[in-house]
Amino acid sequence: MPRVICAGHVNWDVTLRVETLPDPDGEVAVDSRRSGGGGSAANVATGLADLDVDSGLLGSVGDDEHGRTARAELADAGVDVDHVLTVPETETTTKYIIVEPSGEVMVLGCSGANESFAADDLPESALADADHLHMTSQSPETAARLAERARERDVPVSFDPGRRIDQRGYGPALTSVDYLFLNDREAALALDAFDLEAQTLVLKHGPDGAEIRRGEDRTAHPGYPIEVVDTTGAGDAFAAGFIAASVGGANDHRALAVANACGALASKAPGARTSLTWDDVRAFLGE
């Protein structure tokens, strides 16, 4: 079984569904509220475990009820949490995710423990056993050092820097990895600021599907028409599908088809995590 390590945020998510976003100084009613573990790295690790990939997680939580519950949820999902640090006297990072009827989201984040881990918290033996390292939003210094360590071990690295790509010094990490997962906004910022000719770009176009760019080569997949319920975690499900298919030997078009299916399945359900199975994916693909 392929071994993938995910490194990045482990959060506690509070999702609020509303009829509309309030105007400044306004107020709207909350239609529903749900809480559970989140964070991009944790979401991808869970998706990989669902898709029969041996997944481990490097991250950090606080020494509180939310941190303990988040760890327990991940372990129950089949994720190796041996390298998730518990930070004393620090709260687990909480994200408030507000979802409107179209499925689009806005996020309010509270600072906490999720960037307390360092690159050296991943033992050399764990990295040596990995077939792939996937990084999500985290300290730029940690991301760059993790990429460097993986490169020394010839472990392929992917990076999904997330929506704050233009607010953090991710340059050394972006230009050191093998695969970059970017949405249209992130790609516009990154391609304008960095030389990414050496990286394989996995570009997410939302309802218009996705594509892979390797230099001048392009592989595209149109995606699937669905009724969107909640886009929270859809990019993480996409990444899990792409990585699971790729480490399993799929070609680019197949990897994109699986990734788009996983992203679509996540968008059809509320919350940051959707149970992914190969049976569900194949049924979605009409196989």
Side-chain angles (χ1 to χ4, degrees):
M1 183 184 295
R3 171 74 169 173
V4 176
I5 296 174
C6 299
H9 290 176
V10 185
N11 301 336
W12 187 256
D13 287 351
V14 179
T15 302
L16 308 174
R17 298 191 68 85
V18 299
E19 279 299 319
T20 185
L21 298 178
D23 294 325
D25 201 31
E27 179 178 336
V28 298
V30 174
D31 292 337
S32 67
R33 170 189 170 117
R34 59 183 293 170
S35 300
S40 288
N43 295 342
V44 176
T46 302
L48 287 167
D50 285 346
L51 296 170
D52 303 325
V53 175
D54 182 7
S55 67
L57 182 60
L58 172 65
S60 44
V61 296
D63 186 13
D64 55 15
E65 181 179 356
H66 287 163
R68 289 186 286 274
T69 304
R71 284 180 64 105
E73 287 183 354
L74 289 162
D76 287 345
V79 176
D80 178 357
V81 295
D82 285 352
H83 307 304
V84 176
L85 280 64
T86 297
V87 185
E89 301 180 5
T90 305
E91 70 175 0
T92 299
T93 298
T94 301
K95 296 291 179 75
Y96 295 90
I97 302 167
I98 303 172
V99 186
E100 62 170 359
S102 70
E104 294 302 312
V105 303
M106 63 181 294
V107 180
L108 307 174
C110 297
S111 61
N114 67 7
E115 292 193 0
S116 298
F117 71 96
D120 291 340
D121 289 318
L122 182 66
E124 195 66 26
S125 58
L127 187 57
D129 289 340
D131 297 292
H132 190 96
L133 171 67
H134 178 67
M135 305 189 303
T136 68
S137 181
Q138 58 189 275
S139 159
E141 294 77 15
T142 300
R145 177 57 183 152
L146 279 171
E148 178 183 27
R149 289 185 60 200
R151 193 166 57 248
E152 291 168 354
R153 284 281 185 175
D154 293 325
V155 176
V157 186
S158 54
F159 187 23
D160 188 339
R163 60 174 58 88
R164 296 171 62 197
I165 188 173
D166 58 334
Q167 301 170 23
R168 314 195 72 178
Y170 278 138
L174 293 173
T175 55
S176 298
V177 302
D178 302 285
Y179 298 86
L180 278 174
F181 289 83
L182 303 167
N183 64 24
D184 289 337
R185 172 188 168 275
E186 295 156 2
L189 292 167
L191 291 170
D192 186 56
F194 304 104
D195 179 4
L196 300 176
E197 285 297 316
Q199 281 65 49
T200 295
L201 305 182
V202 185
L203 304 180
K204 300 171 286 186
H205 300 316
D208 296 322
E211 68 173 304
I212 296 172
R213 294 185 189 176
R214 286 192 177 93
E216 297 299 319
D217 295 333
R218 302 285 190 273
T219 302
H221 186 278
Y224 308 97
I226 60 166
E227 184 174 340
V228 174
V229 173
D230 183 352
T231 59
T232 309
D236 301 329
F238 176 98
F242 186 91
I243 295 167
S246 295
V247 298
N251 62 25
D252 285 351
H253 190 271
R254 175 68 177 180
L256 282 178
V258 171
N260 277 330
C262 290
L265 287 166
S267 298
K268 287 166 58 68
R273 292 183 192 158
T274 301
S275 178
L276 302 172
T277 70
W278 282 114
D279 284 344
D280 290 338
V281 171
R282 293 185 185 108
F284 199 89
L285 296 177
E287 300 177 351

